[in-house]
Amino acid sequence: MSDKLIITIDREYGSGGHEVARRLAEKLGIKMYDEELISQAAFNIGYREEYVKSNDEKAPEINISPMFSGIDVFQSSPFSKIQDEEFRIIREISAKESCVIVGRAADYILSDEPHISIFIFAPVEDRIKRKLALIDINGTEPMTEAEMEKKVKQRDKQRRKYYEFYTDNKWGGRETYDVLINTSRSGINGAVAMIEAYINTAKGKDLLSDM
Amino acid sequence: MSDKLIITIDREYGSGGHEVARRLAEKLGIKMYDEELISQAAFNIGYREEYVKSNDEKAPEINISPMFSGIDVFQSSPFSKIQDEEFRIIREISAKESCVIVGRAADYILSDEPHISIFIFAPVEDRIKRKLALIDINGTEPMTEAEMEKKVKQRDKQRRKYYEFYTDNKWGGRETYDVLINTSRSGINGAVAMIEAYINTAKGKDLLSDM
């Protein structure tokens, strides 16, 4: 088994998955890719970063099936070009270096590449509270609790639709991942510690070699 | 926060949940309760152990609702007496000592008691292979792959029905647990190491105290 280590982290909005990925990558001394994928894709295909960002991790908003509108139309759209480029970058970086990749169906894109796939979640009430607390900390635009609840639910829905458009698996479904962690119970550092323990103990193991 | 440590482990049949619990309890130097609950319940209510075992972790096989047959009839049945006694024992032991409890909806029974709830799972093909391999190791009665597949699926169904009869939660659903681990990827020791890391790092943390 190679010493390369690929960790994919998908996450509910506000559950701290990005922060888990950041701290984990820092501890392991490897790179993390999240928004970095946006800027890299924008640069490569020559689109404005803002435009790529607004289409990042979204399913296409087409109301008619590609069967009717013509699959070619969809495949040559700027939208599809963004997703294709992000997927290509994910394959490229994971072929050459250890890394932590956040979201973007990376676990599915890397099905044929050995990797550890994590899903980070938390009850919606706690995620709303966390996101509201982060507004105070980061000094970003204020939001009411109701507005934040709407945003959190909308983002989850977007991520689910994106994931299930590009893969055959269920977003957040137990069977899709190696480990699922509720950060409301573990905190960010608890999740990081578990993933580290997993890496140190479980690498290359399976149920039959360790019964 | 008290130093008492209660860990509940629910599991798909053949996923190694019992073995995870056994090794974890051994490492932590605390007791594990699985079949022990059966013998203790049998002793306390004066039933034959075999009879208790045959009704253990099962939902009642009643075709009509307690509303029609009379809830009193169900509640005074030997079947109900077994479940009640097992739940009572779970509450009793967790009130007085650190322990690992396997199955029996313990996570739900202990909702008001601080505890860590784990779900152990694995793809069904791997669980069938593991159970067949264990037949050779333990020298128990041979079984074909098809027979084992039937058994594994039947046991999962039984456990789901049991769990969902006695609780308001979804058996094996992400939201029900703190951590869910696929032992096909982690092996038994990988799962044990993760839970240990969780205990050492996450205890008393939550998403807002560690953002």
Side-chain angles (χ1 to χ4, degrees):
Chain A
M1 200 162 178
S2 89
D3 280 342
K4 205 175 49 177
L5 189 62
I6 314 290
I7 302 151
T8 63
I9 298 190
D10 213 335
R11 69 289 179 229
E12 286 185 331
Y13 187 74
S15 67
H18 174 87
E19 190 57 21
V20 170
R22 200 189 64 72
R23 292 187 203 176
L24 180 68
E26 197 177 277
K27 279 200 151 189
L28 297 171
I30 63 180
K31 275 199 198 159
M32 175 194 67
Y33 292 90
D34 192 345
E35 292 87 358
E36 296 75 7
L37 290 166
I38 297 173
S39 21
Q40 207 163 318
F43 180 83
N44 289 355
I45 54 183
Y47 287 2
R48 276 187 310 112
E49 197 164 321
E50 270 317 298
Y51 178 71
V52 175
K53 193 173 179 177
S54 69
N55 287 290
D56 178 53
E57 271 201 297
K58 283 186 186 154
E61 286 178 21
I62 41 172
N63 290 316
I64 49 166
S65 147
M67 291 293 283
F68 295 99
S69 66
I71 188 94
D72 291 348
V73 173
F74 170 66
Q75 280 181 344
S76 63
S77 70
F79 180 88
S80 171
K81 212 167 163 187
I82 292 169
Q83 316 307 327
D84 284 353
E85 183 58 19
E86 288 194 355
F87 294 156
R88 199 195 59 74
I89 294 171
I90 287 171
R91 279 190 207 94
E92 190 180 75
I93 55 180
S94 60
K96 68 173 190 218
E97 60 173 341
S98 293
C99 56
V100 183
I101 304 174
V102 180
R104 292 158 191 92
D107 59 298
Y108 186 83
I109 302 300
L110 300 176
S111 302
D112 296 332
E113 175 88 28
H115 71 279
I116 297 169
S117 70
I118 312 284
F119 189 82
I120 301 291
F121 68 99
V124 68
E125 317 82 63
D126 291 349
R127 294 187 283 124
I128 293 166
K129 273 187 211 144
R130 176 171 178 270
K131 276 293 182 185
L132 289 170
L134 284 172
I135 286 180
D136 294 338
I137 292 168
N138 299 335
T140 44
E141 210 178 325
M143 227 181 236
T144 66
E145 202 177 314
E147 284 166 343
M148 187 56 88
E149 181 176 350
K150 200 176 157 191
K151 186 178 180 181
V152 165
K153 289 183 175 172
Q154 188 199 10
R155 285 297 184 88
D156 282 353
K157 192 176 170 183
Q158 231 168 45
R159 287 179 181 173
R160 168 175 294 113
K161 279 173 71 180
Y162 167 84
Y163 189 84
E164 295 179 359
F165 183 84
Y166 286 105
T167 84
D168 306 319
N169 300 330
K170 199 177 158 227
W171 185 75
R174 169 183 93 221
E175 301 77 4
T176 306
Y177 309 92
D178 299 338
V179 185
L180 302 94
I181 304 173
N182 179 348
T183 41
S184 267
R185 298 297 305 269
S186 69
I188 305 288
N189 286 337
V192 171
M194 287 188 84
I195 303 170
E196 280 188 286
Y198 186 94
I199 291 166
N200 293 331
T201 316
K203 213 179 162 193
K205 293 278 172 49
D206 62 35
L207 196 51
L208 290 167
S209 69
D210 174 26
M211 298 210 302
Chain B
M1 197 161 180
S2 90
D3 280 343
K4 206 176 48 180
L5 189 63
I6 313 290
I7 301 152
T8 63
I9 298 188
D10 213 335
R11 70 289 180 228
E12 286 185 332
Y13 187 74
S15 66
H18 173 87
E19 190 57 20
V20 169
R22 199 189 63 72
R23 291 188 202 175
L24 180 68
E26 196 176 278
K27 278 199 151 189
L28 297 171
I30 63 180
K31 275 199 197 158
M32 176 194 68
Y33 292 91
D34 191 345
E35 291 88 358
E36 295 76 5
L37 290 167
I38 298 173
S39 20
Q40 207 162 318
F43 180 82
N44 289 354
I45 54 181
Y47 286 2
R48 276 188 309 111
E49 197 164 323
E50 270 316 299
Y51 178 71
V52 174
K53 194 173 178 177
S54 67
N55 286 291
D56 178 53
E57 271 200 298
K58 282 185 187 157
E61 285 178 23
I62 42 173
N63 290 318
I64 48 165
S65 147
M67 293 292 282
F68 294 100
S69 65
I71 187 93
D72 291 347
V73 173
F74 170 65
Q75 280 181 344
S76 62
S77 70
F79 180 88
S80 171
K81 211 167 165 188
I82 291 170
Q83 317 305 327
D84 285 351
E85 182 57 19
E86 289 194 355
F87 294 157
R88 200 194 60 75
I89 295 171
I90 288 171
R91 280 192 208 95
E92 189 179 74
I93 55 181
S94 61
K96 69 174 190 218
E97 62 174 339
S98 293
C99 57
V100 183
I101 304 173
V102 180
R104 292 159 191 92
D107 59 299
Y108 186 83
I109 301 300
L110 300 176
S111 304
D112 296 331
E113 176 88 27
H115 70 279
I116 298 169
S117 70
I118 312 284
F119 190 82
I120 300 291
F121 68 100
V124 68
E125 318 81 65
D126 292 349
R127 294 187 283 125
I128 293 166
K129 273 186 211 144
R130 176 170 178 271
K131 276 294 184 185
L132 288 170
L134 283 173
I135 285 180
D136 295 338
I137 292 167
N138 300 334
T140 44
E141 210 179 325
M143 227 183 237
T144 66
E145 202 176 315
E147 284 166 343
M148 187 57 87
E149 183 176 348
K150 201 176 156 190
K151 185 177 180 180
V152 166
K153 289 182 174 171
Q154 188 200 9
R155 286 296 184 91
D156 283 353
K157 193 175 169 185
Q158 230 168 47
R159 287 178 181 175
R160 169 175 295 112
K161 279 173 73 181
Y162 167 83
Y163 189 83
E164 296 179 359
F165 183 83
Y166 286 104
T167 84
D168 305 319
N169 300 330
K170 199 177 156 226
W171 186 75
R174 166 183 97 222
E175 300 79 2
T176 307
Y177 309 92
D178 299 337
V179 184
L180 301 93
I181 304 173
N182 178 347
T183 40
S184 267
R185 299 297 304 270
S186 68
I188 304 289
N189 285 338
V192 171
M194 287 188 85
I195 303 169
E196 279 188 285
Y198 186 95
I199 291 166
N200 293 330
T201 316
K203 212 179 163 194
K205 293 278 172 47
D206 61 37
L207 195 51
L208 291 167
S209 68
D210 174 26
M211 298 211 301

